[in-house]
Amino acid sequence: DKTNEVAALININKAKNWNDFKNGVKMKLALHVPCFINELFPNVAKTTLLILREYKLNVTVPKNQTCCAQPFINSGINSTLGKMYEEIFSDFDYIVSPSSSCVSTIKSQKLSISNKTYELCTFLRDVLNLREILKKHPPLILHNSCHSIRHLQLVTPSELNIPYKNKIKELLGCEIIEAGRDECCGFGGVFSLKEGEMSYILGLSKLNDLLSNWKYDFTPTITGVDMSCLMHLKAIAQKENIKAEFKHISEVIWEYLEN
């Protein structure tokens, strides 16, 4: 099955304490569910949990978890939510979240749990050392969000002028089509509310860039590690009558593993 196929691709020599990961005994893992995913896209949280449990990991979903404080920090407002987050997740060895922007926010606050908080793809690639887990999947369009590029370094930013690397592509292994420019999609959370017109223009430009190299006759699936960006792009696509499907990376991975 697909799970065994993926397991065969793991570099055992590089995996630290792989038996602990495989048996799910010694590693205490927590799933952080971002606020908007909890309220608007619960399936993203569900599929993230299912993926982690597929690899026999002992995953807990703390019921009392709170916001990472991103909306407040982005608005220049002091918040104690980071400290609350720290207290809730302090007993876990790893915290995994299906959002690069939330993980970036936690890391930027330099909390005691910052270094053990991971975005899903980063955890699968860098901690479990997985590669090419979607090798036989049809082509995908990948939206590289700003936080994943410039904060978490999942992708090499163009302004560095160094050889390009994309950890998400290495993890997935199937044909990946990317935008020609690594510019913002225009969502930006609070920005999209304060500057709606500009946000829309940026989103439409990003959408056209993402679709510009699509050469197949079936409807493209646009995926990424941030559902907030995908939500923004999907709304623009619907308004502009652009045909495309939008799925979070966890939904794409789980559908493949499940089938």
Side-chain angles (χ1 to χ4, degrees):
D1 57 27
K2 294 273 191 329
T3 305
N4 290 331
E5 177 184 319
V6 169
L9 294 169
I10 297 171
N11 189 333
I12 301 297
N13 294 326
K14 290 186 177 180
K16 183 180 179 182
N17 297 325
W18 168 246
N19 287 329
D20 292 346
F21 299 150
K22 183 172 64 175
N23 297 327
V25 176
K26 296 182 180 180
M27 183 172 64
K28 292 177 64 178
L29 184 68
L31 172 63
H32 166 244
V33 181
C35 306
F36 69 94
I37 284 180
N38 183 59
E39 297 297 329
L40 301 176
F41 305 102
N43 191 57
V44 172
K46 178 182 177 180
T47 51
T48 300
L49 179 64
L50 290 171
I51 291 167
L52 295 172
R53 287 183 173 170
E54 185 76 7
Y55 294 109
K56 313 304 180 185
L57 298 171
N58 182 16
V59 189
T60 300
V61 185
K63 293 182 179 180
N64 61 338
Q65 57 182 287
T66 186
C67 177
C68 67
Q70 181 180 171
F72 305 97
I73 292 174
N74 288 350
S75 300
I77 301 172
N78 291 328
S79 173
T80 59
L81 286 172
K83 288 296 181 182
M84 292 174 63
Y85 183 101
E86 187 174 41
E87 293 173 4
I88 293 166
F89 290 96
S90 61
D91 290 336
F92 294 95
D93 299 316
Y94 292 92
I95 303 106
V96 178
S97 177
S99 167
S100 75
S101 62
C102 290
V103 171
S104 172
T105 300
I106 292 302
K107 289 185 177 297
S108 70
Q109 295 177 79
K110 296 180 171 60
L111 306 171
S112 63
I113 47 81
S114 292
N115 289 336
K116 57 182 181 180
T117 302
Y118 288 80
E119 179 275 325
L120 174 63
C121 288
T122 311
F123 180 80
L124 296 177
R125 182 195 179 279
D126 293 351
V127 179
L128 298 189
N129 282 289
L130 293 170
R131 301 290 189 278
E132 299 185 348
I133 62 175
L134 301 187
K135 191 172 184 178
K136 297 180 181 179
H137 194 283
L140 292 166
I141 296 177
L142 176 64
H143 167 60
N144 298 309
S145 53
C146 297
H147 287 90
S148 70
I149 299 173
R150 294 175 173 85
H151 289 190
L152 301 187
Q153 299 179 329
L154 278 166
V155 184
T156 306
S158 59
E159 63 268 17
L160 293 183
N161 291 315
I162 60 176
Y164 183 75
K165 184 174 184 179
N166 189 318
K167 291 184 178 182
I168 304 173
K169 291 176 67 174
E170 293 176 1
L171 172 69
L172 300 183
C174 61
E175 181 182 351
I176 296 295
I177 296 170
E178 300 172 86
R181 306 182 306 276
D182 56 357
E183 298 171 351
C184 179
C185 71
F187 176 66
V190 177
F191 173 80
S192 64
L193 296 176
K194 292 184 176 180
E195 301 288 347
E197 292 83 359
M198 181 61 72
S199 174
Y200 190 93
I201 292 170
L202 289 170
L204 182 57
S205 174
K206 170 60 70 173
L207 195 56
N208 288 331
D209 192 0
L210 286 167
L211 293 167
S212 63
N213 291 321
W214 184 255
K215 57 187 177 182
Y216 299 99
D217 58 2
F218 57 90
T219 302
T221 295
I222 299 177
T223 189
V225 299
D226 280 292
M227 196 64 215
S228 52
C229 298
L230 297 175
M231 173 184 68
H232 176 61
L233 293 172
K234 180 179 180 179
I236 295 172
Q238 290 175 336
K239 188 173 180 63
E240 298 289 336
N241 293 317
I242 296 173
K243 291 185 178 180
E245 293 185 359
F246 296 82
K247 295 180 181 179
H248 187 269
I249 200 85
S250 66
E251 296 175 305
V252 175
I253 293 174
W254 178 248
E255 287 177 6
Y256 184 82
L257 292 179
E258 188 180 31
N259 295 322

